[in-house]
PDB file of all heavy atoms in Angstrom:
ATOM      1  N   GLU A 203     -42.815  51.537   2.875  1.00 93.00           N
ATOM      2  CA  GLU A 203     -42.938  51.824   4.303  1.00 93.00           C
ATOM      3  C   GLU A 203     -43.080  50.545   5.114  1.00 93.00           C
ATOM      4  O   GLU A 203     -42.569  50.462   6.227  1.00 93.00           O
ATOM      5  CB  GLU A 203     -44.142  52.732   4.532  1.00 93.00           C
ATOM      6  CG  GLU A 203     -43.990  54.107   3.918  1.00 93.00           C
ATOM      7  CD  GLU A 203     -42.766  54.831   4.454  1.00 93.00           C
ATOM      8  OE1 GLU A 203     -42.481  54.731   5.666  1.00 93.00           O
ATOM      9  OE2 GLU A 203     -42.092  55.508   3.663  1.00 93.00           O
ATOM     10  N   LEU A 204     -43.778  49.557   4.578  1.00 94.00           N
ATOM     11  CA  LEU A 204     -43.883  48.284   5.286  1.00 94.00           C
ATOM     12  C   LEU A 204     -42.520  47.619   5.426  1.00 94.00           C
ATOM     13  O   LEU A 204     -42.231  47.005   6.454  1.00 94.00           O
ATOM     14  CB  LEU A 204     -44.856  47.354   4.558  1.00 94.00           C
ATOM     15  CG  LEU A 204     -46.344  47.553   4.861  1.00 94.00           C
ATOM     16  CD1 LEU A 204     -47.187  46.612   4.009  1.00 94.00           C
ATOM     17  CD2 LEU A 204     -46.625  47.311   6.339  1.00 94.00           C
ATOM     18  N   SER A 205     -41.698  47.737   4.402  1.00 92.00           N
ATOM     19  CA  SER A 205     -40.351  47.174   4.489  1.00 92.00           C
ATOM     20  C   SER A 205     -39.529  47.887   5.555  1.00 92.00           C
ATOM     21  O   SER A 205     -38.844  47.244   6.363  1.00 92.00           O
ATOM     22  CB  SER A 205     -39.663  47.280   3.122  1.00 92.00           C
ATOM     23  OG  SER A 205     -38.333  46.819   3.191  1.00 92.00           O
ATOM     24  N   ALA A 206     -39.586  49.221   5.581  1.00 92.00           N
ATOM     25  CA  ALA A 206     -38.866  49.963   6.610  1.00 92.00           C
ATOM     26  C   ALA A 206     -39.423  49.672   7.995  1.00 92.00           C
ATOM     27  O   ALA A 206     -38.667  49.532   8.974  1.00 92.00           O
ATOM     28  CB  ALA A 206     -38.945  51.456   6.307  1.00 92.00           C
ATOM     29  N   LEU A 207     -40.744  49.569   8.124  1.00 94.00           N
ATOM     30  CA  LEU A 207     -41.363  49.253   9.409  1.00 94.00           C
ATOM     31  C   LEU A 207     -40.923  47.886   9.920  1.00 94.00           C
ATOM     32  O   LEU A 207     -40.635  47.707  11.109  1.00 94.00           O
ATOM     33  CB  LEU A 207     -42.882  49.313   9.267  1.00 94.00           C
ATOM     34  CG  LEU A 207     -43.709  48.850  10.470  1.00 94.00           C
ATOM     35  CD1 LEU A 207     -43.504  49.788  11.643  1.00 94.00           C
ATOM     36  CD2 LEU A 207     -45.182  48.770  10.102  1.00 94.00           C
ATOM     37  N   THR A 208     -40.868  46.915   9.028  1.00 93.00           N
ATOM     38  CA  THR A 208     -40.465  45.564   9.437  1.00 93.00           C
ATOM     39  C   THR A 208     -39.029  45.535   9.945  1.00 93.00           C
ATOM     40  O   THR A 208     -38.722  44.868  10.938  1.00 93.00           O
ATOM     41  CB  THR A 208     -40.628  44.599   8.252  1.00 93.00           C
ATOM     42  OG1 THR A 208     -41.995  44.636   7.805  1.00 93.00           O
ATOM     43  CG2 THR A 208     -40.271  43.183   8.657  1.00 93.00           C
ATOM     44  N   ARG A 209     -38.143  46.275   9.287  1.00 93.00           N
ATOM     45  CA  ARG A 209     -36.740  46.268   9.691  1.00 93.00           C
ATOM     46  C   ARG A 209     -36.476  47.105  10.933  1.00 93.00           C
ATOM     47  O   ARG A 209     -35.593  46.791  11.725  1.00 93.00           O
ATOM     48  CB  ARG A 209     -35.873  46.765   8.534  1.00 93.00           C
ATOM     49  CG  ARG A 209     -35.772  45.786   7.378  1.00 93.00           C
ATOM     50  CD  ARG A 209     -34.882  46.292   6.263  1.00 93.00           C
ATOM     51  NE  ARG A 209     -35.579  47.256   5.422  1.00 93.00           N
ATOM     52  CZ  ARG A 209     -35.353  48.546   5.430  1.00 93.00           C
ATOM     53  NH1 ARG A 209     -34.445  49.056   6.259  1.00 93.00           N
ATOM     54  NH2 ARG A 209     -36.016  49.363   4.631  1.00 93.00           N
ATOM     55  N   GLN A 210     -37.238  48.158  11.126  1.00 92.00           N
ATOM     56  CA  GLN A 210     -36.960  49.085  12.216  1.00 92.00           C
ATOM     57  C   GLN A 210     -37.773  48.825  13.476  1.00 92.00           C
ATOM     58  O   GLN A 210     -37.355  49.230  14.567  1.00 92.00           O
ATOM     59  CB  GLN A 210     -37.228  50.518  11.737  1.00 92.00           C
ATOM     60  CG  GLN A 210     -36.346  50.952  10.583  1.00 92.00           C
ATOM     61  CD  GLN A 210     -36.749  52.305  10.021  1.00 92.00           C
ATOM     62  OE1 GLN A 210     -37.649  52.962  10.541  1.00 92.00           O
ATOM     63  NE2 GLN A 210     -36.092  52.730   8.951  1.00 92.00           N
ATOM     64  N   CYS A 211     -38.916  48.162  13.346  1.00 92.00           N
ATOM     65  CA  CYS A 211     -39.806  48.019  14.499  1.00 92.00           C
ATOM     66  C   CYS A 211     -40.230  46.586  14.771  1.00 92.00           C
ATOM     67  O   CYS A 211     -40.462  46.229  15.934  1.00 92.00           O
ATOM     68  CB  CYS A 211     -41.044  48.896  14.300  1.00 92.00           C
ATOM     69  SG  CYS A 211     -42.230  48.884  15.645  1.00 92.00           S
ATOM     70  N   LEU A 212     -40.356  45.772  13.744  1.00 92.00           N
ATOM     71  CA  LEU A 212     -40.897  44.422  13.908  1.00 92.00           C
ATOM     72  C   LEU A 212     -39.824  43.350  13.827  1.00 92.00           C
ATOM     73  O   LEU A 212     -40.103  42.215  13.437  1.00 92.00           O
ATOM     74  CB  LEU A 212     -41.962  44.162  12.838  1.00 92.00           C
ATOM     75  CG  LEU A 212     -43.107  45.182  12.780  1.00 92.00           C
ATOM     76  CD1 LEU A 212     -44.066  44.820  11.662  1.00 92.00           C
ATOM     77  CD2 LEU A 212     -43.832  45.262  14.118  1.00 92.00           C
ATOM     78  N   ASP A 213     -38.592  43.693  14.202  1.00 89.00           N
ATOM     79  CA  ASP A 213     -37.486  42.731  14.127  1.00 89.00           C
ATOM     80  C   ASP A 213     -37.308  41.968  15.427  1.00 89.00           C
ATOM     81  O   ASP A 213     -36.220  41.474  15.722  1.00 89.00           O
ATOM     82  CB  ASP A 213     -36.193  43.464  13.767  1.00 89.00           C
ATOM     83  CG  ASP A 213     -35.866  44.563  14.756  1.00 89.00           C
ATOM     84  OD1 ASP A 213     -36.765  44.934  15.539  1.00 89.00           O
ATOM     85  OD2 ASP A 213     -34.714  45.045  14.752  1.00 89.00           O
ATOM     86  N   ARG A 214     -38.347  41.834  16.220  1.00 90.00           N
ATOM     87  CA  ARG A 214     -38.281  41.116  17.493  1.00 90.00           C
ATOM     88  C   ARG A 214     -39.642  40.491  17.763  1.00 90.00           C
ATOM     89  O   ARG A 214     -40.617  40.751  17.049  1.00 90.00           O
ATOM     90  CB  ARG A 214     -37.899  42.062  18.629  1.00 90.00           C
ATOM     91  CG  ARG A 214     -38.847  43.237  18.779  1.00 90.00           C
ATOM     92  CD  ARG A 214     -38.274  44.282  19.718  1.00 90.00           C
ATOM     93  NE  ARG A 214     -39.162  45.414  19.914  1.00 90.00           N
ATOM     94  CZ  ARG A 214     -39.267  46.436  19.094  1.00 90.00           C
ATOM     95  NH1 ARG A 214     -38.532  46.463  17.994  1.00 90.00           N
ATOM     96  NH2 ARG A 214     -40.085  47.435  19.348  1.00 90.00           N
ATOM     97  N   ARG A 215     -39.713  39.682  18.814  1.00 93.00           N
ATOM     98  CA  ARG A 215     -40.965  39.014  19.167  1.00 93.00           C
ATOM     99  C   ARG A 215     -41.854  39.954  19.975  1.00 93.00           C
ATOM    100  O   ARG A 215     -41.410  40.587  20.927  1.00 93.00           O
ATOM    101  CB  ARG A 215     -40.679  37.753  19.982  1.00 93.00           C
ATOM    102  CG  ARG A 215     -39.953  36.665  19.198  1.00 93.00           C
ATOM    103  CD  ARG A 215     -39.577  35.517  20.102  1.00 93.00           C
ATOM    104  NE  ARG A 215     -38.822  34.488  19.390  1.00 93.00           N
ATOM    105  CZ  ARG A 215     -38.231  33.446  19.985  1.00 93.00           C
ATOM    106  NH1 ARG A 215     -38.309  33.309  21.297  1.00 93.00           N
ATOM    107  NH2 ARG A 215     -37.577  32.575  19.255  1.00 93.00           N
TER     108      ARG A 215
END
Side-chain angles (χ1 to χ4, degrees):
E203 294 302 320
L204 277 177
S205 176
L207 173 66
T208 303
R209 289 181 281 107
Q210 298 173 4
C211 182
L212 305 179
D213 57 345
R214 57 192 181 278
R215 294 174 183 172

